[in-house]
Amino acid sequence: EADHRVWKAELLSGRFDAGVADSLGTSLASIHRDTAGIGSQHPELCDGTNFDELRLDPFYRHMARTIPELTESLTALIDETLSLQTCLVLADFSPKNILLTGRGPVLVDFETGHIGDPGFDIGFFLSHLLLKTVRHADRLNEIIELPRRFWSGYSAQAHNSDPDFESRCVRHLGACMLSRVDGKSRVDYLTEDWQPQLVREYCHELLLNDVLSIAD
């Protein structure tokens, strides 16, 4: 629709609609659930070249090279991610690619899509929402409902049986969030000195400790 709104702009402007987050959790769960195991039928989707070049290399490998204390953790996460071909992973599921219309959210622009690790989509998306909580720290009680509602909507529908899934989601969250302050593609809206430092401390905790669930 011509009068659509980009969700990223809505969030940065301080307009928080938890219903959108809930809907997106359900949508992503259906994508992951309904494409599980399709790699053998669609081998062209198993090519993760774009994902590697546009996500793993500028995000994870760059930090593994430049932050020595995280090298082991990030290298292990890269290897684990590349070993998985579970379902369709969009790998750019973020507020900038979510258009709000009268028919509900519309998803766009997934050139990084491939058969891979669904935990990346969860970590990538949650990293964007939690970065917005740092931006709007004075309204934390409102905005924190967005990641909570997203995860609730996702987990109710995904039916993921991988026992390591949530812990991997947490590590992807830490890596993706940290990459936006210390990687090659940094956000421009955390303008106060304490904000990127808070992100660093939080993400180092996630990457260096065994945080086993999203709720934790």
Side-chain angles (χ1 to χ4, degrees):
E1 298 172 0
D3 60 348
H4 70 266
R5 293 163 290 129
V6 179
W7 200 37
K8 176 182 178 180
E10 294 286 290
L11 294 174
L12 289 176
S13 297
R15 292 185 286 273
F16 313 138
D17 186 343
V20 172
D22 195 10
S23 173
L24 292 169
T26 301
S27 296
L28 186 62
S30 69
I31 292 171
H32 288 171
R33 183 189 64 237
D34 297 343
T35 62
I38 69 166
S40 59
Q41 304 166 43
H42 299 279
E44 71 280 3
L45 291 176
C46 295
D47 182 355
T49 302
N50 280 352
F51 171 66
D52 197 316
E53 292 179 350
L54 298 176
R55 293 290 175 269
L56 294 183
D57 198 64
F59 287 18
Y60 293 16
R61 287 197 191 93
H62 173 77
M63 294 190 299
R65 290 190 296 264
T66 58
I67 309 175
E69 68 184 279
L70 297 180
T71 299
E72 182 178 355
S73 176
L74 288 169
T75 299
L77 183 57
I78 292 168
D79 292 343
E80 191 173 9
T81 302
L82 291 174
S83 73
L84 295 170
Q85 293 191 333
T86 304
C87 63
L88 179 62
V89 176
L90 302 176
D92 204 2
F93 188 74
S94 73
K96 72 179 175 64
N97 288 332
I98 294 163
L99 312 182
L100 305 183
T101 76
R103 297 179 291 113
V106 174
L107 315 181
V108 299
D109 192 20
F110 299 105
E111 64 178 322
T112 48
H114 66 290
I115 303 297
D117 175 13
F120 183 87
D121 275 345
I122 300 296
F124 187 76
F125 183 76
L126 288 176
S127 74
H128 284 279
L129 293 189
L130 293 187
L131 286 165
K132 304 299 187 295
T133 70
V134 179
R135 159 88 172 194
H136 295 290
D138 57 330
R139 297 175 60 192
L140 179 62
N141 289 338
E142 295 175 68
I143 194 171
I144 199 63
E145 281 304 305
L146 300 182
R148 287 175 176 164
R149 289 279 293 276
F150 166 78
W151 178 245
S152 176
Y154 181 90
S155 56
Q157 298 293 327
H159 311 308
N160 194 301
S161 60
D162 179 355
D164 298 321
F165 177 63
E166 283 197 45
S167 64
R168 202 166 61 251
C169 289
V170 171
R171 285 180 286 136
H172 280 302
L173 164 60
C176 288
M177 194 171 176
L178 184 63
S179 74
R180 306 318 299 268
V181 297
D182 285 336
K184 289 186 176 181
S185 178
R186 305 183 182 188
V187 297
D188 59 4
Y189 54 81
L190 300 183
T191 55
E192 300 184 41
D193 290 343
W194 66 268
Q195 293 173 324
Q197 185 56 32
L198 175 64
V199 172
R200 288 186 188 100
E201 293 174 6
Y202 177 70
C203 294
H204 280 232
E205 285 289 322
L206 296 185
L207 289 166
L208 294 175
N209 296 286
D210 293 327
V211 182
L212 300 179
S213 75
I214 296 291
D216 291 341

